[in-house]
């Protein structure tokens, strides 16, 4: 084999060529994926915020669960008031 077969000193691979015309290759695919993912997350968060504010304005307040008679009796005993019928 001759030495000129392996002489790569004057050649630079296109991926490492900073001085070359890299703008003609298009956008970096990693950057495109990052922008798309960030955009989707941002849209999700903004959508949730809009739905939350809409619900706060337009939905009626939640109904409270009815208090059981047993709990009412216990609360009255704590306050020192005797429950009726005792």
């Amino acid at each position: 084999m001759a030495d000129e077969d392996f002489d790569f000193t004057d050649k630079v691979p296109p991926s490492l060529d900073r001085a070359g015309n890299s703008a003609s290759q298009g956008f970096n695919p990693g950057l495109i994926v990052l922008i798309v993912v960030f955009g989707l997350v941002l849209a999700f968060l903004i959508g949730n915020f809009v739905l939350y504010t809409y619900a706060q304005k337009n939905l009626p307040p939640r109904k409270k669960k009815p208090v059981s008679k047993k709990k009412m009796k216990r609360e009255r005993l704590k306050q020192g008031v005797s429950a009726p019928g005792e």
Side-chain angles (χ1 to χ4, degrees), residues 66-82:
V67 181
S68 69
K69 291 180 183 179
K70 193 175 185 181
K71 281 189 180 179
M72 283 177 52
K73 190 175 183 181
R74 193 178 301 142
E75 286 297 319
R76 284 189 190 139
L77 287 173
K78 280 183 187 176
Q79 292 175 0
V81 179
S82 64

Side-chain angles (χ1 to χ4, degrees), residues 25-35:
Q25 293 177 355
F27 293 108
N28 184 4
L31 182 64
I32 292 173
V33 169
L34 189 69
I35 289 172

Side-chain angles (χ1 to χ4, degrees), residues 53-70:
T53 53
Y54 174 79
Q56 290 295 314
K57 289 178 184 176
N58 295 319
L59 291 179
R62 278 193 201 173
K63 292 182 182 178
K64 294 184 177 179
K65 288 184 179 179
V67 181
S68 69
K69 291 180 183 179
K70 193 175 185 181

Side-chain angles (χ1 to χ4, degrees), residues 5-58:
D5 290 342
F6 299 105
D7 189 16
F8 295 115
T9 56
D10 60 340
K11 296 176 184 167
V12 178
S15 61
L16 299 176
D17 189 13
R18 299 272 181 211
N21 224 355
S22 62
S24 63
Q25 293 177 355
F27 293 108
N28 184 4
L31 182 64
I32 292 173
V33 169
L34 189 69
I35 289 172
V36 167
V37 169
F38 183 72
L40 288 174
V41 169
L42 193 64
F44 176 76
L45 293 175
I46 291 172
N48 275 343
F49 179 73
V50 168
L51 285 174
Y52 177 77
T53 53
Y54 174 79
Q56 290 295 314
K57 289 178 184 176
N58 295 319

